[in-house]
Amino acid sequence: MIYSPAPADNPLHALNTQLLALAEGDPLLAGMTVPPMALPQSINSVADADPAERHRHWPIVTTADFRPARMGAGPDWHGYDRANGDLKFVAKLYDVGFGIQPFDDAIRSPGDLRGKRIGVPPRPSAVRWLSEALLGDGWGILDDVTLVDIVPPQIAEARTAGRIDATSWNLIVPNASGLEPMTGGGDARYLAVDEAALERINAANDFELALLPPHAGDVRPLSFAQALAAWDGSDPRRIEAMLARLADRGSRFTGFPASIAEMRDWPGLREEEIHPVARAFWETRRAGG
């Protein structure tokens, strides 16, 4: 079982369920399911289970959740009940752009958000955590804005009614032609995140983020990458089978890695965070074995 951290009607969940098609035909991966279960619940709910049961449950993690889950860290409302040092990185699946989309043309910089209402996910939510980190740690304006709990289907109506001036919910997601905003792609615009803001965010939190390449002009949203993780005691044959499928067929699926280098592309990834099966697989492939 692989837990997808996105709701069932979210485009990210559709990307995650591509794993079912990727695994089709491999007997080691037969019977795999990809149910939606949000972080941190997808890790906390199985962390204290019997090891023989826990190791059959692999979570998809985000750049904001992976290291805090291993450390037992995070805010009270989106934290991890215990340190999960046996949770390891297997492979990046795809990248997602995250930022603040303003609806008013007069909002051209972070400072212009002061006094504005920003539609964000309710707690707990990794997107909410990133929203508060960007507005607070990155830009220093969290106390000067009003956060409005909202879900994606409500954004268009709330925008039209003037109840929100911007949102963090319009993620930039992979599609067949590259990257496109999750909703209302045609007129979506994002405020630029510079390297100084990124450094402040990383210094203040138990995760490490990166910036996407420019999305429009000089605008660089934050990277909100998603990866497959597994436990030290998970079946190594199944992990290797999934890695082989990703390496050999991943490029056929939207957003999935097209090379070993892309599978390993995770901000600040440390050796001790890599699953030993993944490390051995990468070394074998690099050696041509």
Side-chain angles (χ1 to χ4, degrees), residues 101 103 119 150-164 166-167 169-170 183-184 187:
Q101 178 195 358
F103 302 135
I150 201 166
V151 294
Q154 300 171 337
I155 291 173
E157 191 275 333
R159 173 183 180 180
T160 300
R163 291 198 296 273
I164 56 175
T167 187
W169 244 133
N170 200 3
T183 63
D187 65 346

Side-chain angles (χ1 to χ4, degrees), residues 13-283:
H13 184 62
L15 290 171
N16 294 335
T17 57
Q18 293 181 123
L19 289 170
L20 297 173
L22 181 75
E24 189 174 356
D26 190 315
L28 285 170
L29 301 174
M32 185 177 73
T33 59
V34 185
M37 183 180 290
L39 293 160
Q41 182 185 2
S42 61
I43 292 175
N44 287 341
S45 64
V46 299
D48 291 321
D50 179 86
E53 176 64 23
R54 180 174 76 241
H55 297 149
R56 289 195 286 269
H57 299 259
W58 301 351
I60 292 174
V61 297
T62 75
T63 40
D65 287 273
F66 175 57
R67 191 165 292 156
R70 285 177 42 82
M71 297 170 60
D76 291 344
W77 50 269
H78 190 93
Y80 290 87
D81 296 341
R82 49 164 277 185
N84 299 279
D86 57 339
L87 182 67
K88 301 291 178 63
F89 177 91
V90 172
K92 187 176 87 171
L93 297 177
Y94 55 90
D95 214 341
V96 175
F98 166 85
I100 302 296
Q101 178 195 358
F103 302 135
D104 185 342
D105 286 342
I107 302 174
R108 309 301 301 183
S109 70
D112 296 332
L113 289 170
R114 289 188 170 91
K116 303 298 185 181
R117 295 154 299 180
I118 303 173
V120 296
R123 296 174 171 182
S125 160
V127 176
R128 175 63 173 261
W129 190 2
L130 288 185
S131 302
E132 295 192 20
L134 175 57
L135 293 165
D137 303 322
W139 292 339
I141 60 170
L142 182 59
D143 293 338
D144 302 317
V145 301
T146 299
L147 301 184
V148 179
D149 288 355
I150 201 166
V151 294
Q154 300 171 337
I155 291 173
E157 191 275 333
R159 173 183 180 180
T160 300
R163 291 198 296 273
I164 56 175
D165 305 296
T167 187
S168 64
W169 244 133
N170 200 3
L171 302 176
I172 304 168
V173 299
N175 63 18
S177 59
L179 291 169
E180 187 170 271
M182 186 170 67
T183 63
D187 65 346
R189 177 174 62 87
Y190 299 84
L191 299 180
V193 182
D194 60 21
E195 294 282 355
L198 176 68
E199 290 178 8
R200 290 191 292 269
I201 292 168
N202 287 341
N205 294 278
D206 295 316
F207 50 68
E208 186 166 343
L209 303 181
L211 296 179
L212 279 185
H215 172 67
D218 293 328
V219 174
R220 299 191 68 186
L222 289 169
S223 164
F224 184 41
Q226 320 274 309
L228 182 63
W231 309 90
D232 275 337
S234 297
D235 186 340
R237 299 171 306 160
R238 299 189 75 226
I239 296 174
E240 186 171 0
M242 179 59 74
L243 286 165
R245 286 287 170 129
L246 278 168
D248 297 335
R249 306 184 183 190
S251 61
R252 304 177 191 177
F253 296 87
T254 301
F256 278 12
S259 66
I260 297 294
E262 289 185 19
M263 293 168 65
R264 298 184 58 171
D265 183 18
W266 192 255
L269 185 63
R270 302 167 183 169
E271 279 296 309
E272 67 269 18
E273 296 172 334
I274 303 170
H275 200 288
V277 175
R279 188 184 299 112
F281 179 85
W282 297 339
E283 291 173 354

